[in-house]
């Protein structure tokens, strides 16, 4: 496959839209509280919150890989 035949704009839009949907899905507007309860996370646990922040960058790169 030639790299110049890829639609880079479509790839970028698809990756960003996946991240936006994920941010909304796990936000306090939708399902953050039930998700944290079911996963056993305590929102006041600072150590666990910091651990989750560290993995955020790797998870943001995830949607770009299949594209």
């Amino acid at each position: 496959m030639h790299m110049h035949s890829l639609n880079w704009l479509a790839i970028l839009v698809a990756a960003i839209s996946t991240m936006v949907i994920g941010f909304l899905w796990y936000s306090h507007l939708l399902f953050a509280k039930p998700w944290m309860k079911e996963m056993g996370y305590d929102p006041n646990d600072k150590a666990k919150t910091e651990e989750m922040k560290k993995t955020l960058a790797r998870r943001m790169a995830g949607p770009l890989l299949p594209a």
Side-chain angles (χ1 to χ4, degrees):
M1 177 189 304
H2 297 288
M3 295 298 281
H4 64 274
S5 65
L6 295 176
N7 187 344
W8 291 104
L9 180 61
I11 292 170
L12 184 63
V13 169
I16 290 173
S17 67
T18 302
M19 287 186 269
V20 168
I21 290 170
F23 287 144
L24 287 174
W25 190 264
Y26 292 108
S27 72
H28 290 286
L29 296 173
L30 293 177
F31 303 115
K33 290 180 184 178
W35 177 79
M36 290 182 82
K37 180 182 173 189
E38 291 298 320
M39 294 298 293
Y41 292 140
D42 180 14
N44 298 322
D45 185 3
K46 298 297 181 191
K48 190 66 169 177
T49 304
E50 290 300 318
E51 180 183 331
M52 290 170 65
K53 286 180 184 178
K54 289 179 183 177
T55 61
L56 179 62
R58 286 180 283 172
R59 293 180 188 258
M60 288 178 70
L64 290 172
L65 295 177

